[in-house]
């Protein structure tokens, strides 16, 4: 068999053999460069000096999960904080915890319920940041379904809250903060997206959530192009599963980082690519998802979400009983 193939190759024109060799070499070179780049950006490239953007960072949704971890990590870097959340008691609790650990950190709390009157809340944000050099904005606030459900099972309140919190909240807070960055010609905006909208081809039974996160991705990319030339770096970070209450995951693992593990990785990426997944094991899952036919990923995800729906319905029925 090998001899037959060799004879067939010998019978081909020289230019064709050279072309095939060149194409193979280029493919190998491209793969090698991609691997080298992956190693560099994930393990070697240093994070930027975040204080160069300004001395203050504003974080939405900072009382739990990824947002809370971002708050602690940014305080550790020496930035002052504006914390924007809906629960004043939890805001005070987080503020006191940060101050006890990083005593020099200045903190302002702003109470905003993103599922309520956003315009009124954003006006309070504008008042709080007046005169402050907000260098970093972390748009972390977001919500998902209590559990998976078909689109026709999404009630009016959940539908409204998903769009208001995930889309309108991020958009209007960004609009409140970005004029100051434009004036100072520097700043970094980080919008938290989701693998549900980017990594996998669909997220059945979470359709509205996934769609809102797709908005965040495109919104971020457009702003990245609009403002990069005046010194503002805009980025959509795309985490996969992180051990948070929203994801209903209590324990971290190799592929599911703790919130602190995610935030620590995330800070190293601020100011670089317009879209990224900072926690490097997530990139392995992303590559795996991209290597499979979309129909296979869709079928797996549907089965997975149907199981979540069944468990959620059973839990609801027990509560009613």
């Amino acid at each position: 068999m090998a001899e037959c193939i060799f004879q067939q190759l010998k019978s081909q024109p020289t230019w064709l053999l050279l072309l095939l060799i060149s194409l193979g070499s280029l493919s190998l070179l491209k793969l090698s460069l991609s691997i080298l780049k992956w190693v560099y950006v994930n393990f070697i490239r240093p994070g930027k000096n975040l204080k160069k953007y300004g001395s203050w960072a504003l974080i939405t949704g900072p009382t739990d999960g990824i947002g809370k971890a971002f708050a602690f990590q940014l305080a550790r870097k020496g930035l002052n904080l504006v914390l924007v959340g809906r629960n004043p008691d939890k805001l005070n609790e987080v503020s006191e915890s940060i101050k006890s650990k990083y005593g020099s950190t200045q903190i302002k709390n702003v109470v905003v319920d993103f599922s309520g009157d956003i315009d009124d809340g954003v006006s309070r944000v504008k008042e709080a940041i007046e005169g402050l050099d907000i260098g970093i904005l972390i748009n972390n606030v977001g919500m998902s379904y209590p559990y998976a459900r078909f689109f026709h099972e999404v009630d009016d309140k959940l539908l409204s809250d998903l769009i208001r919190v995930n889309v309108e909240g991020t958009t209007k807070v960004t609009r409140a903060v970005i004029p100051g960055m434009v004036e100072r010609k520097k700043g970094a905006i980080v919008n938290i997206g989701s693998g549900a909208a980017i990594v996998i081809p669909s997220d059945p039974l979470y359709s509205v959530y996934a769609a809102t996160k797709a908005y965040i991705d495109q919104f971020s990319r457009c702003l990245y192009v609009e403002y990069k030339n005046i010194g503002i770096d805009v980025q959509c970070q795309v985490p996969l599963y992180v051990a948070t209450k929203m994801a209903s995951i209590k324990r971290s693992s190799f592929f599911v980082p703790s919130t602190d593990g995610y935030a620590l990785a995330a800070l190293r990426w601020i100011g670089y690519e317009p879209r990224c997944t900072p926690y490097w094991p997530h990139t392995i899952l992303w590559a795996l998802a991209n290597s499979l036919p979309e129909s296979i990923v869709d079928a797996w995800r549907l089965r997975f979400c149907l199981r979540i729906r069944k468990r959620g319905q059973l839990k609801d029925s027990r509560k009613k009983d």
Side-chain angles (χ1 to χ4, degrees):
M1 174 67 81
E3 185 178 349
C4 180
I5 294 174
F6 179 73
Q7 291 296 330
Q8 288 179 350
L9 287 173
K10 283 185 65 177
S11 65
Q12 299 300 321
T14 304
W15 66 267
L16 181 58
L17 293 175
L18 290 174
L19 178 61
L20 292 173
I21 292 171
S22 298
L23 291 174
S25 299
L26 285 173
S27 297
L28 183 60
L29 177 63
K30 183 179 179 181
L31 177 62
S32 300
L33 290 176
S34 296
I35 293 173
L36 288 173
K37 180 182 178 182
W38 179 83
V39 171
Y40 172 71
V41 299
N42 282 286
F43 303 108
I44 300 172
R45 184 175 68 182
K48 293 191 175 184
N49 176 13
L50 301 182
K51 294 182 75 173
K52 76 171 187 176
Y53 290 114
S55 59
W56 288 80
L58 188 151
I59 308 166
T60 64
T63 58
D64 202 359
I66 292 174
K68 183 177 179 180
F70 262 117
F72 274 88
Q73 291 295 337
L74 288 169
R76 187 175 67 86
K77 293 287 187 181
L79 279 85
N80 302 312
L81 305 174
V82 178
L83 305 180
V84 182
R86 65 178 179 177
N87 189 315
D89 293 332
K90 287 186 176 182
L91 284 172
N92 290 330
E93 182 182 333
V94 171
S95 297
E96 293 304 316
S97 296
I98 293 173
K99 287 177 181 178
S100 67
K101 194 169 185 178
Y102 308 105
S104 62
T105 304
Q106 299 179 55
I107 301 178
K108 286 190 172 189
N109 294 337
V110 185
V111 179
V112 177
D113 183 357
F114 286 98
S115 64
D117 189 341
I118 292 182
D119 290 335
D120 180 63
V122 170
S123 68
R124 289 196 294 276
V125 171
K126 289 180 180 178
E127 291 175 9
I129 67 175
E130 188 173 355
L132 303 181
D133 59 332
I134 303 293
I136 297 175
L137 167 62
I138 309 291
N139 277 313
N140 166 75
V141 70
M143 64 171 290
S144 185
Y145 296 20
Y147 58 84
R149 59 192 66 186
F150 287 96
F151 177 62
H152 72 271
E153 297 171 335
V154 177
D155 60 70
D156 289 344
K157 185 178 188 312
L158 178 57
L159 178 63
S160 176
D161 287 352
L162 282 163
I163 296 171
R164 186 174 290 134
V165 175
N166 294 358
V167 174
E168 193 175 353
T170 293
T171 304
K172 291 190 173 180
V173 169
T174 301
R175 191 172 63 174
V177 173
I178 205 167
M181 293 180 172
V182 172
E183 184 179 343
R184 293 184 296 274
K185 292 183 171 57
K186 59 181 180 178
I189 298 171
V190 176
N191 297 324
I192 304 300
S194 172
I198 310 301
V199 177
I200 54 180
S202 69
D203 199 16
L205 280 69
Y206 287 96
S207 57
V208 181
Y209 169 77
T212 62
K213 289 302 184 178
Y215 169 89
I216 295 300
D217 179 62
Q218 183 67 353
F219 177 61
S220 302
R221 179 72 191 198
C222 292
L223 293 187
Y224 166 82
V225 176
E226 287 181 37
Y227 291 100
K228 185 171 179 59
N229 290 336
I230 59 174
I232 301 173
D233 297 317
V234 183
Q235 180 181 77
C236 179
Q237 293 195 357
V238 186
L240 277 72
Y241 281 121
V242 178
T244 63
K245 289 180 181 178
M246 191 170 82
S248 299
I249 301 174
K250 296 180 180 179
R251 293 183 181 180
S252 61
S253 62
F254 179 72
F255 285 114
V256 182
S258 66
T259 54
D260 288 333
Y262 176 82
L264 186 62
L267 259 58
R268 291 185 58 251
W269 285 77
I270 293 177
Y272 288 109
E273 290 82 0
R275 180 204 281 166
C276 67
T277 181
Y279 183 65
W280 73 265
H282 283 173
T283 65
I284 298 173
L285 298 177
W286 193 333
L288 177 62
N290 283 341
S291 69
L292 296 172
E294 290 188 353
S295 59
I296 291 177
V297 180
D298 283 341
W300 161 77
R301 189 63 184 173
L302 179 59
R303 289 194 301 271
F304 181 82
C305 292
L306 283 170
R307 289 197 295 269
I308 295 175
R309 175 177 178 267
K310 186 176 181 179
R311 289 197 298 268
Q313 289 177 325
L314 287 172
K315 189 175 180 180
D316 276 356
S317 65
R318 291 192 191 106
K319 287 180 181 178
K320 292 176 182 177
D321 294 341

